[in-house]
Amino acid sequence: MKKVILTMAAVLAVSFANAQDKKGGSSDMKFGVKAGLNNSNYTGDADSDAATSFYVGGLVDFAVSEKFHVQPELLYSVEGADEDSMTFLRLPIMAKYYVADGFSLQAGPEFAFKIAAENELTDEFSKSLDYGLGLGAGYELESGLFFDARYNLGLANISDVDGFDVGTSSIQVGLGYRF
């Protein structure tokens, strides 16, 4: 657990350092918080009924140009099935392209570190690392309030059992605020 937190802190520190321009000031960068609902399930050999839970976290939005931004996030997310959920620290790194004023399309890789499991069996037979792809859209008001929706497709086999293929899949709907 300590390694996961230290790794994420290092990634965010490098991101902040890269945001500094040549004169020592910061580029166009905004911090924010977000929260919302997950509708998630397991896929593959453990195909399950979807369960609704929550996510909460923070983000940094780097403006590369007026229309293109990069947004790393750190999210605490509860995912899985009704009686078999896992808790992850997710690190999505979303590329955002603004197609209209305030409206963006988003895509990017996601890395997730399992920090807890609801039942002992899930904890014992699941890997601690997941990765995948996030696709979504968002709308930001001038006040900094924003709304977003995202589909997350897990690409990793998170099962430790030979011959048993288990993945994750979720739809997230949330709101947040950029400072």
Side-chain angles (χ1 to χ4, degrees):
M1 180 63 183
K2 290 179 185 177
K3 289 180 185 178
V4 170
I5 293 172
L6 289 174
T7 301
M8 294 208 179
V11 167
L12 290 175
V14 169
S15 296
F16 294 142
N18 286 334
Q20 298 297 314
D21 68 18
K22 294 178 184 174
K23 296 180 182 175
S26 63
S27 64
D28 192 12
M29 174 176 58
K30 294 181 180 178
F31 295 90
V33 293
K34 65 187 292 186
L37 295 176
N38 277 330
N39 188 319
S40 62
N41 62 2
Y42 298 118
T43 60
D45 295 333
D47 195 16
S48 62
D49 291 331
T52 301
S53 56
F54 72 97
Y55 70 92
V56 62
L59 60 93
V60 181
D61 185 298
F62 299 102
V64 177
S65 70
E66 185 178 328
K67 292 200 173 270
F68 183 72
H69 292 215
V70 176
Q71 181 173 292
E73 303 172 357
L74 182 60
L75 305 174
Y76 175 89
S77 180
V78 179
E79 303 173 23
D82 281 332
E83 297 175 7
D84 198 18
S85 66
M86 289 189 277
T87 303
F88 291 96
L89 277 180
R90 285 208 167 269
L91 180 63
I93 303 170
M94 304 303 287
K96 297 178 6 182
Y97 183 75
Y98 285 86
V99 295
D101 194 29
F103 181 72
S104 66
L105 298 178
Q106 308 171 6
E110 294 193 354
F111 305 94
F113 304 92
K114 180 181 74 172
I115 58 174
E118 186 173 299
N119 74 43
E120 194 174 310
L121 191 62
T122 303
D123 194 33
E124 185 177 338
F125 294 111
S126 60
K127 295 178 183 173
S128 59
L129 178 65
D130 186 18
Y131 56 87
L133 179 63
L135 301 168
Y139 185 76
E140 182 176 349
L141 302 172
E142 287 186 29
S143 65
L145 182 67
F146 67 90
F147 309 91
D148 63 6
R150 186 177 299 164
Y151 174 70
N152 301 311
L153 174 63
L155 300 174
N157 178 8
I158 61 169
S159 174
D160 260 348
V161 178
D162 287 337
F164 198 66
D165 188 24
V166 178
T168 60
S169 174
S170 66
I171 295 174
Q172 296 178 325
V173 177
L175 64 106
Y177 185 76
R178 280 188 192 68
F179 306 103

